[in-house]
Amino acid sequence: MKVAKFGGSSVASAEQIEKVANIIKTDLQKKFIVVSAPGKRHKSDQKMTDMFIQLWKASQQKASLEPFIDPIIKRFTEIVEQLSLSFTIVGEIKQSINKLLHMEEAPIRKLDALKAIGEDSSAKILSAYLTSIGLEARYVNPREAGVMVSDEPGNGKILPESFEMIYKLRSTKGISVIPGFFGYTNDGKLITFSRGGSDITGSIIAAGIKADLYENYTDVDSVYAVNPSIVDNPKKITTLTYKEMRELSYAGFSVFHDEALIPAYREKIPVCIKNTNNPQATGTFIVSEKKPSEKCVVGIASDTGFCSIYISKYLMNREIGFGRKVLSILEEESISFEHAPSGIDDLSIIIREKHLPLEKEKQVLERIQKELCPDLISIHRNLAMIMIVGEGLVRTIGVAKKATSAISSANVNIEMINQGSSEVSMMFGIIADDLEKAVQSLYNAFFVK
Amino acid sequence: MKVAKFGGSSVASAEQIEKVANIIKTDLQKKFIVVSAPGKRHKSDQKMTDMFIQLWKASQQKASLEPFIDPIIKRFTEIVEQLSLSFTIVGEIKQSINKLLHMEEAPIRKLDALKAIGEDSSAKILSAYLTSIGLEARYVNPREAGVMVSDEPGNGKILPESFEMIYKLRSTKGISVIPGFFGYTNDGKLITFSRGGSDITGSIIAAGIKADLYENYTDVDSVYAVNPSIVDNPKKITTLTYKEMRELSYAGFSVFHDEALIPAYREKIPVCIKNTNNPQATGTFIVSEKKPSEKCVVGIASDTGFCSIYISKYLMNREIGFGRKVLSILEEESISFEHAPSGIDDLSIIIREKHLPLEKEKQVLERIQKELCPDLISIHRNLAMIMIVGEGLVRTIGVAKKATSAISSANVNIEMINQGSSEVSMMFGIIADDLEKAVQSLYNAFFVK
């Protein structure tokens, strides 16, 4: 039994929906289908969800709403028309929108309900189309499916009791098409997940029904071993572990909405990233465990936008709680940090620059200076992080040598190395300007030579 | 104006004291001399301080005291006799001991006062000897010198007002010989520093009189670039910065009592480690700053006896305060840790094994498990740390490459790398059994080739 989730680009147009139907038709194991709202059909196109957000904003400003409703209806009409489906679907969508706009409800709840129409309509259209081509398919509302969430508009969290309810879906006959992105509170209020939440729904359904596989259809053939904007035609990754995926996605690999995989991860459901536009491609599997292989490095991720605070104090390591106090100051100032490697008399704190805006920098440095009296405190901006990722990497002699040699031979200085804290990765900090040449050299060393 | 401190082996016998006098005689800049208690004359010998501690123990147990007093007196008598000094010194020592043993005083204060007799007598003997060979020398009691300390028996801390008082010593004529290791509280109680505290006194006097140089006489020609028990005839280090010294002493280079250098460090007094038995040797200078040099690595230190706790949790980096909570648990359990490098979903905590005895291990792991619910927690014992130390190392391309290559070529796996947290060092964690071959290979790479 499989769960297949189709992202925005996979349901962006009638042509795309036909491809989705074809994929479903050829594999009857795909019994549970989760869909996003229609995404972009081309670069300058709008995502349906953004159109709904604009409509909501206009309604808050008491602006004229037709200019916002009309394009939504037009787009659904085109899809329904091209798929030769009944126009009653479009009528229902129109009705839902109008009903919502005139409802007495807190604005934030109205926003959630409006945004959800995109996914909801996608699911209705797809199930109607699957029926029209002779498959036994049915639209299943998230409430009926059992997707129960906490009452946090725009940021719902799945309730643990959901999974038991979802498990009962297993006995459903035919194909269930479930809209992603939203669920319901215990007292029936519609709540969306955070952005990108269709991945969350897919993962929840897969975990709930204890699927054999969770297929996640996007518009790429696979996850690549390195960022294709840095290296041309990089190798495809066929199998990744969850941990490897996490490490890669930390530093620039944005295949997945970060928290989306938790439910699948907990149930150890294998995930496969596939391409709706090229379903023959094997895709990339994400699994709990894999056999150790000789080539232990699976990918090289990289990201810019980091800075570091460097603190030095003679005999720091004798001052019990020094590190904890620094981290407490950051916590009190609501600055989340990435890492805090320490030396004997030194401590570095790596922070994403967006979390330490210039206006906060002064206050944080002053507090550290005043409360902990270091000998030296300095801040370095414009850093990049490179992650070399692979299970078994820590137990393979020579990986560090290969990596440091590759970076040196690109004539790049290594500002920071963090190895051993993670079982599956090795992290290097460099000056952001050197990022491309360092990554290219690393890719050559681990994947080409 | 120089301060010279002579350690236990330098005043262990009359022959050694003659060497010390010769050193002082040939350099009239050495106006302030700080001495330890007589140390070992040969491997199986006893240090005077240990003899006093045994005497104190016997007195606490109401045992017969002669067997403990006699060897002390005998040793001082031998020294005084060989130096052709008046026996009144020995009489005074005997009197001091007896007076103390019969004094009504808290045992812990009695211990401090007894222990201090070793240094005090050394200073008296040396000043008498210097006078006898025609130098203008005078014994100066720490109270007279201005060494005022907190009321913590066995662990006194210098009071800030001391330095101003000590500064006045500059105008003293001739040579002042000051016993190391102890000072006085504001209300006149004798208090010792922690063990090895003659280095502390030397550093305090040097800082107080704002010496041009603080010479620290031991029984080695210099600090070596690597542990001589691992590499035969290693290179000598001519100049070290304070920071480099600290990093080296962390991992096995025990030239200095750790906190001893703080006063000198704060006043930026250069320190020179010299050999009483070979005063012609240049020794090793410890300075605040030095010119950047091409050979940036000055030494390789290493130490065993480490363990690491490894904690892994999916999406750990999203859990604000996770790291801080782990460190708080350790603090609450009074376990001081060395480093806590973190990955995305992982955290390692490096601890000296002596700080995490087996009986505490269970409780700590259970608390972390219960309070933070990680996916995985494990402990690895029998680790060794290697520190590659040198100012400028972080700004030199290729150091990491050289180091990792050397370790790999010794066929040793690198469990951990911590670079960049310190400006002057790079740390490697390996399995303790591999220590020798890894250090030898590193030494070859950085100092021989």
Side-chain angles (χ1 to χ4, degrees), chain A residues 246 259 318 324 331 345, chain B residues 259 318 324 331 345:
Chain A
R246 267 288 291 164
E259 277 159 52
R318 294 293 193 87
R324 203 234 335 125
E331 212 178 318
D345 290 344
Chain B
E259 278 158 53
R318 293 293 194 86
R324 204 233 334 125
E331 212 178 319
D345 289 346

Side-chain angles (χ1 to χ4, degrees), chain A residues 295-323:
Chain A
K295 273 200 81 85
C296 63
V297 173
V298 300
I300 299 165
S302 56
D303 207 1
T304 55
F306 292 89
C307 63
S308 81
I309 297 178
Y310 173 69
I311 302 167
S312 169
K313 183 174 187 178
Y314 197 71
L315 287 186
M316 183 191 287
N317 78 337
R318 294 293 193 87
E319 232 174 280
I320 289 183
F322 189 97

Side-chain angles (χ1 to χ4, degrees), chain B residues 13-234:
Chain B
S13 66
E15 291 78 20
Q16 290 300 95
I17 292 173
E18 283 165 355
K19 286 184 196 167
V20 167
N22 252 323
I23 290 168
I24 295 170
K25 202 169 65 177
T26 51
D27 178 9
L28 293 176
Q29 289 241 56
K30 294 185 184 34
K31 280 199 58 182
F32 298 92
I33 312 299
V34 175
V35 287
S36 295
K40 291 184 181 186
R41 289 158 297 185
H42 45 81
K43 254 196 167 170
S44 58
D45 198 13
Q46 272 204 305
K47 290 183 180 178
M48 192 59 92
T49 307
D50 290 326
M51 293 164 82
F52 278 108
I53 293 171
Q54 283 155 15
L55 170 60
W56 173 79
K57 281 184 183 158
S59 78
Q60 289 307 107
Q61 292 157 359
K62 316 276 179 212
S64 161
L65 301 180
E66 274 76 41
F68 298 95
I69 297 176
D70 289 352
I72 293 174
I73 299 304
K74 183 165 170 267
R75 198 153 159 204
F76 280 124
T77 307
E78 272 173 29
I79 293 175
V80 166
E81 195 171 15
Q82 284 182 46
L83 293 175
S84 309
L85 300 175
S86 153
F87 284 103
T88 49
I89 295 180
V90 181
E92 278 170 28
I93 296 170
K94 216 171 181 170
Q95 233 175 11
S96 303
I97 295 172
N98 280 319
K99 201 177 131 194
L100 265 172
L101 288 171
H102 294 96
M103 220 162 69
E104 288 296 320
E105 201 36 295
I108 197 157
R109 295 201 180 278
K110 214 179 244 185
L111 172 61
D112 265 26
L114 272 175
K115 280 192 298 185
I117 295 178
E119 272 75 8
D120 200 56
S121 307
S122 263
K124 282 173 178 161
I125 292 169
L126 179 61
S127 72
Y129 183 65
L130 291 175
T131 308
S132 78
I133 61 168
L135 293 171
E136 186 183 355
R138 192 170 73 93
Y139 159 83
V140 178
N141 182 275
R143 180 161 28 192
E144 188 191 339
V147 181
M148 310 309 292
V149 298
S150 62
D151 192 1
E152 298 170 83
N155 196 25
K157 306 279 187 305
I158 191 75
L159 299 178
E161 57 263 38
S162 298
F163 297 101
E164 221 169 295
M165 292 166 69
I166 295 168
Y167 187 74
K168 293 180 188 149
L169 288 180
R170 284 179 69 99
S171 52
T172 312
K173 280 182 74 182
I175 299 160
S176 300
V177 184
I178 307 164
F181 191 37
F182 67 100
Y184 290 86
T185 62
N186 276 320
D187 57 351
K189 291 199 187 81
L190 186 154
I191 296 284
T192 63
F193 294 118
S194 53
R195 194 80 199 247
S198 290
D199 281 339
I200 303 184
T201 304
S203 173
I204 287 168
I205 300 291
I209 68 151
K210 298 194 192 294
D212 301 309
L213 182 65
Y214 168 35
E215 291 182 334
N216 194 297
Y217 283 83
T218 62
D219 51 6
V220 291
D221 274 1
S222 70
V223 178
Y224 293 98
V226 70
N227 188 336
S229 74
I230 297 181
V231 173
D232 288 335
N233 296 315

